[in-house]
Amino acid sequence: VFVEALPVDTTVNCDAVPTAITLTATDNCNSASVNYQESTTAGNCANAYTLTRTWTATDDCGNVLTHVQTVTVQDTTAPLFVEVLPIDTTVNCDAIPAAVTLTATDNCSTAYVNYQESTTAGNCTNTYVLTRTWVATDDCGNTSTHIQTVNVQDTTLPEIISFPADISVDNDSSFCGAVISWTEPQGTDLCGTVDVQSTYSSGDFFDVGVTTVTYTFTDECGNAVDSSFTVTVTDNEDPTVTFNTANYFCASDIVEIDYDVNDNCSIDTIITDFDEQTNFPIGTTTVSVQIIDIHGNTSTTSFDIVVRPLPEIKLNPVFDNCKGGETMLEVHSPKNDLIYDWYLEQTWVNSGPEYLIDKLESDDEGEYIVYATDEYQCVNSDTLEMITEVCDMIIYESFSPNEDGINDYFVIEYLEEYPNTSVRVFNRWGSEVYYNEDYQNNWDGTSQNKLNVGGNELPEGTYFYIIELTDPVSGEAKAYQGYVYIKR
């Protein structure tokens, strides 16, 4: 019989395995000895197993009493982290703490720490959540886990490291502004790249005046900072005037002064000392145009107008205006190099200082205008009114029919105006030697009388004529008589 209380089966943690007790035994007849044995049955890990403890009491006669205790050893205690555990934190993207190194201990065995880190994206590149996980594991798979959440944010504005100064320039020639260039500014960010946008670009055209150029520097999370500089373009270009009018005019001209004004921007005020259409005196007159542009630039341009006098001319009066007669129109001038043109009722009829009309007709009546042009193309004119009249006939007292082409016929001047005029010629003895009922100034001293002594050619001498006609104006019958001398 065992003396002591027998140990019962038990389940214990690996760090609380009870020590095997020492059992003794007694026997009714003699002494008894106790033999102790312990065996181990492995479990699923080093610290999980079963101890089988056997006590065998034996007397002198070989009688045996056995007691078996089963101790089930288990490991259910998780490892413990040694260091201070990092807590959750919120940091800027440029101040992310490094993950700490954690170690662990275990009550029964060695503990191993595994570290993992995962990232959960936020609304921009530099805004996210770091999840840091440390897992301590002992030999039997008992674990302790610690999770740290690091909230990463980007709240820092970008930094401008270079930026243009204010710019002041004059306008580009002929333009109301200037092309302006500058070195592009630079920005930096603690956590990423910087996007740079501006209201204007280097190389743009800027109007005259003050323009503000604004640059915006934005990081990847939308943090933005603005900076500005001014571009001042000053208009220092004077306006210009170009006269399109000729310098030289004639006294009869109405001078129209034509000019163009130009400015690289716009004209504000034009001041002239003349009317655009005016008569200028003979000689040289200086006119000027003052231009003021919208920016106060001023220029004054002068121009000479030279007015030349018209050539002096005068038409001589007409003294011979008998129909059928000859007349000479003449113009006089102190200058000898004028060019003359004659017009009758707007129809050109002649050139030169004289115009001979060898036989005046009704078609020659009207207003005659003579234009005189000098070497400067200045033109003057004079006019006269030609009115013809039927003049009394002029009967010449002699003619010389000798076939020399001079005075070969008996001529009655202005005969054309007296149609159906009859002419009778008689010799000294009263004999009719010539008769024509419609005389045409064609009697050459030949006799129509066959009884004439010496042939048809009448001898030199004096002959008597009778001319009968009807006045074309009054319609009255008239008769003229007188003597004509034939000169051989």
Side-chain angles (χ1 to χ4, degrees):
V1 176
F2 288 104
V3 176
E4 294 83 9
L6 297 176
V8 298
D9 292 342
T10 186
T11 299
V12 296
N13 204 52
C14 61
D15 60 343
V17 177
T19 304
I21 65 176
T22 301
L23 293 180
T24 61
T26 62
D27 187 71
N28 57 348
C29 293
N30 53 30
S31 62
S33 62
V34 178
N35 180 49
Y36 173 76
Q37 289 183 333
E38 182 181 87
S39 64
T40 302
T41 303
N44 58 1
C45 66
N47 295 316
Y49 51 90
T50 301
L51 293 176
T52 302
R53 292 174 173 174
T54 304
W55 291 265
T56 302
T58 306
D59 62 11
D60 293 338
C61 289
N63 296 307
V64 176
L65 177 65
T66 301
H67 176 72
V68 177
Q69 178 193 30
T70 301
V71 179
T72 301
V73 180
Q74 62 183 11
D75 187 355
T76 59
T77 301
L80 295 176
F81 290 103
V82 176
E83 293 82 11
V84 176
L85 298 180
I87 62 174
D88 292 344
T89 186
T90 298
V91 297
N92 205 55
C93 58
D94 62 332
I96 301 172
V100 300
T101 300
L102 295 181
T103 61
T105 61
D106 189 65
N107 57 339
C108 297
S109 63
T110 303
Y112 302 93
V113 179
N114 180 57
Y115 172 75
Q116 289 185 334
E117 182 179 275
S118 64
T119 302
T120 302
N123 58 4
C124 66
T125 303
N126 296 314
T127 298
Y128 51 90
V129 176
L130 291 178
T131 301
R132 293 172 170 174
T133 303
W134 293 265
V135 178
T137 306
D138 64 13
D139 290 341
C140 286
N142 297 301
T143 60
S144 292
T145 301
H146 178 69
I147 298 175
Q148 180 195 29
T149 300
V150 179
N151 293 300
V152 181
Q153 62 185 9
D154 184 359
T155 59
T156 303
L157 296 176
E159 181 184 355
I160 301 171
I161 58 178
S162 66
F163 199 77
D166 292 341
I167 299 172
S168 294
V169 298
D170 290 339
N171 65 287
D172 291 344
S173 178
S174 301
F175 290 92
C176 193
V179 175
I180 306 298
S181 298
W182 59 84
T183 301
E184 290 291 344
Q186 301 295 319
T188 186
D189 189 63
L190 293 173
C191 301
T193 60
V194 177
D195 177 65
V196 182
Q197 299 293 328
S198 64
T199 53
Y200 295 88
S201 298
S202 177
D204 282 351
F205 182 85
F206 287 78
D207 293 331
V208 168
V210 179
T211 303
T212 299
V213 179
T214 300
Y215 274 83
T216 301
F217 301 80
T218 307
D219 67 15
E220 296 174 10
C221 286
N223 299 302
V225 61
D226 290 339
S227 187
S228 300
F229 68 93
T230 58
V231 174
T232 302
V233 180
T234 302
D235 177 15
N236 282 329
E237 188 168 334
D238 291 336
T240 61
V241 178
T242 302
F243 283 92
N244 302 317
T245 303
N247 290 89
Y248 298 96
F249 296 88
C250 300
S252 59
D253 295 334
I254 294 178
V255 179
E256 296 184 12
I257 300 179
D258 179 34
Y259 57 91
D260 293 325
V261 295
N262 291 285
D263 189 67
N264 57 311
C265 292
S266 296
I267 301 298
D268 180 67
T269 304
I270 300 175
I271 302 172
T272 64
D273 56 4
F274 58 87
D275 294 328
E276 291 189 3
Q277 290 188 357
T278 187
N279 287 320
F280 285 87
I282 292 173
T284 300
T285 302
T286 300
V287 298
S288 63
V289 176
Q290 183 183 28
I291 306 298
I292 304 172
D293 69 14
I294 59 174
H295 299 122
N297 298 303
T298 302
S299 68
T300 301
T301 303
S302 298
F303 186 73
D304 286 340
I305 300 294
V306 179
V307 178
R308 294 190 171 103
L310 301 182
E312 296 182 22
I313 60 170
K314 179 65 176 177
L315 271 174
N316 291 343
V318 175
F319 297 104
D320 299 322
N321 63 339
C322 295
K323 283 188 176 181
E326 177 184 281
T327 190
M328 177 73 77
L329 303 183
E330 294 179 298
V331 62
H332 289 280
S333 173
K335 299 189 70 174
N336 297 323
D337 55 353
L338 302 180
I339 298 174
Y340 298 96
D341 285 286
W342 297 81
Y343 288 82
L344 172 58
E345 303 293 350
Q346 308 303 318
T347 299
W348 183 89
V349 293
N350 193 49
S351 61
E354 298 176 344
Y355 176 34
L356 175 64
I357 305 174
D358 56 5
K359 184 178 180 181
L360 275 175
E361 303 290 352
S362 296
D363 291 342
D364 296 315
E365 292 185 340
E367 183 182 59
Y368 283 83
I369 305 175
V370 61
Y371 294 96
T373 304
D374 64 14
E375 69 272 27
Y376 303 115
Q377 300 304 305
C378 292
V379 180
N380 200 1
S381 65
D382 197 6
T383 62
L384 63 81
E385 188 73 22
M386 173 69 75
I387 301 175
T388 63
E389 62 180 358
V390 178
C391 297
D392 288 339
M393 291 189 303
I394 299 175
I395 305 170
Y396 292 100
E397 296 179 347
S398 65
F399 66 101
S400 57
N402 54 8
E403 297 182 359
D404 61 358
I406 301 173
N407 200 26
D408 284 333
Y409 297 95
F410 176 45
V411 173
I412 303 172
E413 196 164 349
Y414 310 128
L415 178 65
E416 294 84 352
E417 302 305 316
Y418 297 87
N420 301 317
T421 296
S422 66
V423 175
R424 295 177 184 271
V425 181
F426 301 89
N427 61 18
R428 70 175 72 178
W429 298 284
S431 297
E432 182 179 282
V433 296
Y434 179 79
Y435 170 70
N436 191 323
E437 63 182 5
D438 186 15
Y439 186 61
Q440 299 297 321
N441 282 336
N442 55 353
W443 182 47
D444 59 359
T446 302
S447 173
Q448 296 177 342
N449 189 342
K450 296 180 180 181
L451 299 178
N452 188 55
V453 178
N456 293 333
E457 186 179 286
L458 293 174
E460 183 175 326
T462 300
Y463 294 83
F464 180 76
Y465 62 80
I466 297 175
I467 300 173
E468 295 177 336
L469 53 84
T470 300
D471 191 303
V473 177
S474 65
E476 296 178 357
K478 291 185 177 181
Y480 297 83
Q481 61 184 20
Y483 295 93
V484 60
Y485 185 79
I486 296 179
K487 175 67 175 175
R488 295 292 184 181

